[in-house]
Amino acid sequence: MKNYEKLIIPKDSAWDRKTLSARAWGFLHWRIRSFLTGCKNVIRWSPTIFKDRDFDDWHIYNILQKKIEFQRKEIIYANRHTMVDLDNRDMTIALNLIERVKEDYYGIEYFDYSDIKFRFNPIEGDNKHYSLEQDIISEDYDNYLKKYPSSVRKVLKEKNDLDKKDLCFWVAKHNGEKAHDLLHKILKERMGQWWD
């Protein structure tokens, strides 16, 4: 799983840069600049679009993640407004949340706290289908539950008669929903400010 770090903000801004390429870019006709920007976009989006499928939300999040990556890089590089550090932080948090949501990090995290052996048993009276059974060889669910005390309290308020394994499942589900909600809250409240 990818872990995003905040980008380093340059000391100067795009307005202060007097490089030859920046000056040459400024002298080009706007239609030529627009065409060249479109060509650049086709090239940089090609790997992402090539892998895109119309299957599920993973692909939607993948495109959103790539867009925020590109936009964050441009805003930080340009460094033209006073809120660039806040944008850097918020976009980095959003990227990490997208990664966790699309990879279902919280939904499967509790499996790291157990050693489970899976087996397929034939279904009685059905020669074509099998049932998936699991045997817990060892578990450390207590440490997992200690990691998320507020989620445990929330889940136990709604479902108070769970065994430890089921409690871990519902805590994982709750944590996944919290990550999803936080991501969309950040996008709702902050995305309108992400411009250069």
Side-chain angles (χ1 to χ4, degrees), residues 20-38:
L20 181 62
S21 62
R23 277 189 264 145
W25 183 256
F27 286 120
L28 290 176
H29 190 275
W30 69 268
R31 287 189 176 128
I32 295 172
R33 285 197 310 259
S34 180
F35 175 77
L36 292 174
T37 299

Side-chain angles (χ1 to χ4, degrees), residues 55-62 101-102 180:
F55 296 153
D56 57 21
D57 62 336
W58 189 93
H59 297 285
I60 295 169
Y61 281 121
N62 198 42
V101 166
K102 79 177 190 175
H180 186 270

Side-chain angles (χ1 to χ4, degrees), residues 6-162:
K6 284 173 57 174
L7 295 178
I8 297 170
I9 300 171
K11 298 200 182 311
D12 63 345
S13 76
W15 287 321
D16 300 331
R17 297 186 191 119
K18 304 294 185 205
T19 62
L20 181 62
S21 62
R23 277 189 264 145
W25 183 256
F27 286 120
L28 290 176
H29 190 275
W30 69 268
R31 287 189 176 128
I32 295 172
R33 285 197 310 259
S34 180
F35 175 77
L36 292 174
T37 299
C39 291
K40 177 183 142 192
N41 283 338
V42 167
I43 292 167
R44 73 180 181 165
W45 275 100
S46 290
T48 305
I49 298 302
F50 183 79
K51 295 176 197 168
D52 184 42
R53 301 294 182 266
D54 298 329
F55 296 153
D56 57 21
D57 62 336
W58 189 93
H59 297 285
I60 295 169
Y61 281 121
N62 198 42
I63 288 174
L64 178 62
Q65 185 178 31
K66 192 54 79 173
K67 177 59 184 168
I68 293 173
E69 280 179 25
F70 292 149
Q71 193 160 351
R72 179 179 74 145
K73 184 178 175 185
E74 177 61 31
I75 288 172
I76 301 309
Y77 174 75
N79 191 17
R80 286 193 252 238
H81 62 89
T82 58
M83 303 293 279
V84 73
D85 191 44
L86 183 64
D87 290 349
N88 191 10
R89 185 200 70 179
D90 291 344
M91 292 171 111
T92 303
I93 291 170
L95 288 169
N96 283 315
L97 284 169
I98 290 171
E99 185 71 18
R100 281 162 177 71
V101 166
K102 79 177 190 175
E103 299 299 333
D104 194 23
Y105 171 79
Y106 293 106
I108 59 174
E109 179 188 19
Y110 76 99
F111 287 118
D112 294 340
Y113 291 81
S114 63
D115 187 15
I116 298 175
K117 181 180 178 185
F118 293 97
R119 57 188 161 75
F120 292 97
N121 290 338
I123 296 175
E124 194 174 316
D126 187 350
N127 294 334
K128 293 182 179 181
H129 299 96
Y130 293 83
S131 66
L132 175 65
E133 304 294 330
Q134 54 182 325
D135 299 318
I136 299 175
I137 296 167
S138 66
E139 53 92 354
D140 190 18
Y141 291 142
D142 289 328
N143 276 333
Y144 173 75
L145 295 172
K146 284 179 192 173
K147 190 174 175 183
Y148 301 110
S150 65
S151 295
V152 170
R153 284 192 301 274
K154 173 79 170 149
V155 168
L156 287 176
K157 277 185 185 176
E158 297 170 8
K159 303 171 184 347
N160 56 9
D161 59 341
L162 298 171

